[in-house]
């Protein structure tokens, strides 16, 4: 039998470490190329693998009613290095999984270093990987070094690799009050993929608009980090509150313009101003607030955006933000197994694929590692079902998100996302509690989430059991 060629993983962060572990665990040699400590990023401080650059929390650990907790549980069951190390170095943090960051990163580093199938090469990969590397996972994260970023851009084109994210809030559709909002595209235009009723519109009167603008102006904001302000890429995408600062009417002539819209709840009258939401995922469960990228603090966003008529009870799947980031327009560029369509020897993993967060980045590393190892071994490996958190996250990147047709909106359409229940299809839930009483409000939401989580774990077990079936292409 010939010796297996190694898979190369560029980046020893959350995703790269997990990918390398999955590859080595499958019996395939792997080389991790990490530029630290030789060359640091603006956020990392050590040479350790899987360094946590900010908070030490992996968020809620409750798999029954929290989507991130469900992702933890799925990763544990898939023998994740990152989750295992987190569990062994956890700190008291209520319902959250928080870790001792140094002990956590040291364990990840040590376990990889000690694995006989893992090689480590320190140094920056400052361009496209050499042609003889036939299977590569690029997991270089939000702070990918500029030389590699520029090289990747030669493959993706300028519009499809972003150097900042401009995230508008995303709302769970079922929490929008349709006795106030309505579906209509401006001038009822259908466009290439629409029906003429593609946007959800929330109308504001003059008084409501004025109070809303005042709240935006006085709301508490987060500031750019010093090194972020020197990134020239923010120009094209102003935060909503910065637009509001330019004059009381600016938003009414910008993202809140009411033209071409008539409110059916008010006899077809044109509203004074409007907030539009556009469908964000193929399931139709998530809608994003068009043009509402913002640096407002998260609590302020929830408070201020619930002032918008129709969104009083809104639950947010994602809140807005604007950060230095590097990420691909993955739904267009990557295939279902995370390979770059234009150059399939390159797979991508982690935050660069358009997920957000430590755990989500590691989760995509886990999948990329499994998929790359299966390919090397010549065994078939279907992606996990969309009913699992792992599958739903992969779906967001490779197909679940709806790409927008018009050019201006398209540039901002695909944005990084944390795992949330809106990415998973609904599951039938009991509508009565143990006492036989009909469930309402929070109890009903918990029952729905629990049903999705239980189904996810069942389906994950089946996928883990059947993920690999022998195929003809063995090496
Ligand atoms: C400032 C900041 C704060 C964040 N805070 C949080 C938070 O509190 N909680 C949270 O959940 N998420 C946070 N994130 C988001 C995200 O979850 C983390 O960035 C996460 O580490 C992403 O994982 P990753 O593996 O994709 O990238 P990383 O963990 O950043 O790993 C990428 C690795 O690639 C290396 N690398 C880059 N370019 C090259 C190259 N050319 N050659 C070789 N190696 C290279 C880097 O040195 C790094 O080790 C934050 C992001 C940033 C930028």
């Amino acid at each position: 039998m010939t010796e297996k060629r190694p898979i190369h993983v560029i980046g020893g962060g959350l995703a790269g470490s997990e990918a390398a572990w999955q590859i080595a665990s499958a019996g395939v040699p792997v080389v991790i190329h990490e530029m630290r400590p030789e060359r640091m990023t603006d956020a990392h401080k050590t040479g350790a693998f899987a360094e946590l650059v900010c908070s030490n929390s992996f968020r809620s650990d409750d798999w029954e009613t929290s989507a991130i907790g469900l992702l933890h549980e799925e990763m544990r069951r898939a023998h994740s290095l990152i989750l295992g190390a987190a569990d062994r170095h956890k700190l008291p943090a209520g319902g959250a999984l928080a870790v001792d960051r140094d002990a956590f990163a040291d364990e990840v580093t040590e376990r990889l270093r000690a694995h006989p199938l893992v090689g480590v090469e320190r140094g920056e990969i400052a361009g496209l990987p050499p042609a003889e590397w036939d299977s590569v996972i690029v997991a270089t994260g939000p702070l990918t070094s500029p030389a590699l970023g520029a090289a990747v851009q030669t493959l993706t084109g300028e519009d499809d690799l972003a150097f900042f994210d401009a995230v508008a809030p995303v709302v769970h559709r079922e929490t929008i009050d349709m006795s106030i909002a309505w579906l209509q595209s401006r001038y009822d235009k259908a466009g290439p993929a629409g029906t003429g009723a593609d946007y959800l519109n929330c109308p504001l009167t003059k008084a409501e608009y004025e109070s809303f603008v005042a709240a935006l102006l006085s709301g508490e904001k987060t500031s750019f980090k010093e090194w972020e302000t020197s990134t020239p890429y923010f120009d094209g995408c102003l935060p909503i509150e910065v637009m509001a600062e330019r004059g009381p009417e600016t938003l009414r002539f910008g993202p809140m313009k009411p033209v071409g819209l008539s409110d059916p709840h008010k006899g077809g009258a044109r509203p004074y101003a409007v907030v539009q939401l556009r469908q964000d995922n193929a399931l139709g469960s998530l809608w994003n607030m068009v043009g509402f990228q913002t640096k407002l603090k998260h609590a302020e966003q929830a408070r201020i955006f619930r002032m918008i008529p129709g969104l009083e009870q809104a639950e947010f799947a994602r809140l807005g933000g604007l950060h230095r980031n590097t990420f691909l327009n993955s739904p267009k560029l990557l295939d279902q197994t995370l390979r770059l369509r234009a150059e399939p020897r390159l797979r991508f993993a982690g935050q660069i694929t358009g997920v957000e967060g430590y755990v989500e980045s590691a989760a995509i590393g886990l999948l990329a590692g499994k998929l790359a190892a299966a390919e090397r071994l010549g065994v078939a490996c279907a992606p996990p079902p969309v009913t699992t958190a792992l599958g739903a996250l992969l779906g967001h990147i490779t197909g679940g998100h709806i790409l927008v047709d018009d050019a201006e909106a398209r540039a901002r359409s695909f944005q990084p996302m944390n795992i949330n229940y809106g990415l998973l299809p609904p599951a039938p839930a009991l509508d009565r509690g143990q006492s036989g009483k009909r469930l309402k409000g929070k109890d009903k939401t918990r029952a729905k989430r629990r049903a999705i989580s239980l189904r996810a774990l069942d389906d994950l077990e089946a996928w883990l059991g059947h993920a690999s079936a022998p195929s003809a292409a063995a090496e």
Side-chain angles (χ1 to χ4, degrees):
M1 215 172 94
T2 54
E3 206 174 295
K4 288 183 205 85
R5 279 164 290 147
I7 294 171
H8 296 266
V9 175
I10 311 179
L14 274 299
S17 300
E18 183 66 56
W21 183 255
Q22 294 292 332
I23 293 166
S25 303
V28 175
V30 56
V31 181
I32 305 176
H33 303 265
E34 169 53 59
M35 68 179 185
R36 292 178 291 118
E38 255 176 40
R39 186 187 167 125
M40 299 300 276
T41 74
D42 284 310
H44 290 85
K45 298 195 168 55
T46 73
F49 290 151
E51 177 182 334
L52 304 179
V53 289
C54 187
S55 147
N56 66 334
S57 173
F58 284 14
R59 315 190 329 263
S60 170
D61 200 30
D62 169 9
W63 67 264
E64 285 184 279
T65 57
S66 149
I68 187 70
L70 173 63
L71 188 60
H72 291 172
E73 184 55 27
E74 290 187 11
M75 290 174 72
R76 284 187 186 107
R77 294 186 186 201
H79 306 295
S80 157
L81 170 66
I82 295 296
L83 253 293
D87 283 338
R88 280 184 289 279
H89 299 288
K90 66 182 168 202
L91 300 172
L97 175 59
V99 306
D100 174 333
R101 65 178 73 236
D102 293 330
F104 162 77
D106 286 349
E107 173 169 336
V108 173
T109 310
E110 207 30 59
R111 293 195 73 186
L112 285 167
R113 218 191 328 245
H115 198 296
L117 288 175
V118 179
V120 176
E121 288 186 10
R122 298 280 177 176
E124 179 188 3
I125 303 299
L128 290 180
E132 59 272 21
W133 296 5
D134 66 338
S135 177
V136 182
I137 296 180
V138 182
T140 44
L143 306 175
T144 294
S145 75
L148 181 59
V152 170
Q153 208 172 35
T154 61
L155 295 175
T156 61
E158 203 170 316
D159 289 347
D160 288 324
L161 180 72
F163 291 101
F164 68 96
D165 59 41
V167 168
V170 168
V171 180
H172 288 280
R173 168 76 159 79
E174 61 184 12
T175 64
I176 300 172
D177 184 349
M178 292 305 288
S179 67
I180 297 175
W182 75 98
L183 278 164
Q184 185 185 11
S185 306
R186 272 184 219 288
Y187 303 108
D188 303 307
K189 271 194 196 151
T195 62
D198 301 324
Y199 287 79
L200 260 164
N201 301 284
C202 297
L204 289 91
T205 62
K206 185 166 189 288
E208 285 162 348
Y209 174 78
E210 285 168 358
S211 336
F212 179 69
V213 170
L216 283 179
L217 293 176
S218 62
E220 229 187 311
K221 285 115 198 153
T222 50
S223 46
F224 285 113
K225 298 200 170 60
E226 205 184 306
W227 48 269
E228 284 184 314
T229 51
S230 59
T231 305
Y233 309 104
F234 292 105
D235 292 354
C237 208
L238 286 179
I240 188 97
E241 62 277 7
V242 174
M243 277 188 252
E245 275 166 17
R246 297 195 165 172
E249 291 290 282
T250 308
L251 289 177
R252 232 166 63 78
F253 286 91
M256 294 179 74
K257 64 176 178 272
V259 296
L261 296 168
S262 43
D263 184 347
H265 306 298
K266 301 265 170 62
R270 180 161 121 177
Y272 184 77
V274 81
V275 172
Q276 288 202 301
L277 294 99
R278 184 172 51 227
Q279 187 174 336
D280 201 72
N281 65 339
L283 284 174
S285 51
L286 301 175
W287 288 64
N288 77 65
M289 296 173 66
V290 180
F292 269 61
Q293 58 278 354
T294 174
K295 289 292 279 181
L296 284 168
K297 289 200 162 158
H298 279 180
E300 288 287 78
Q301 289 186 39
R303 178 181 70 81
I304 295 170
F305 295 152
R306 285 187 187 128
M307 290 170 70
I308 296 166
L311 300 188
E312 293 90 344
Q313 307 296 325
E315 291 297 330
F316 296 92
R318 172 178 87 191
L319 284 159
L322 213 64
H323 309 100
R324 170 76 178 82
N325 198 352
T326 311
F327 68 99
L328 302 167
N329 188 3
S330 297
K332 180 175 161 196
L333 298 173
L334 302 185
D335 71 11
Q336 267 207 317
T337 70
L338 297 163
R339 291 181 309 187
L340 193 67
R341 291 180 202 278
E343 193 159 335
R345 75 182 174 114
L346 302 183
R347 235 185 204 92
F348 284 80
Q351 186 139 329
I352 199 168
T353 63
V355 294
E356 170 74 33
Y358 300 145
V359 182
E360 288 86 340
S361 297
I364 296 301
L366 184 149
L367 291 177
K370 274 190 180 299
L371 292 162
E375 190 179 70
R376 179 60 101 221
L377 293 169
V379 296
C381 181
V386 291
T387 47
T388 62
L390 282 165
L393 206 52
L394 185 67
H396 168 65
I397 301 167
T398 61
H401 172 80
I402 291 189
L403 282 180
V404 175
D405 284 312
D406 85 85
E408 195 220 351
R410 184 173 53 234
R412 294 170 198 166
S413 155
F414 178 69
Q415 295 291 336
M417 176 81 100
N418 287 120
I419 186 69
N420 65 80
Y421 279 109
L423 294 177
L424 290 109
L430 293 176
D431 59 356
R432 289 182 190 276
Q434 277 177 344
S435 62
K437 244 175 118 186
R438 191 171 283 282
L439 295 172
K440 284 200 215 130
K442 283 201 169 125
D443 291 337
K444 195 171 166 190
T445 306
R446 285 178 68 84
K448 281 185 183 174
R449 291 179 171 184
R450 191 161 185 278
I452 293 176
S453 289
L454 286 169
R455 180 188 61 188
L457 293 180
D458 276 354
D459 290 356
L460 181 88
E461 289 295 345
W463 178 73
L464 287 172
H466 300 119
S468 303
S471 94
E475 196 174 312

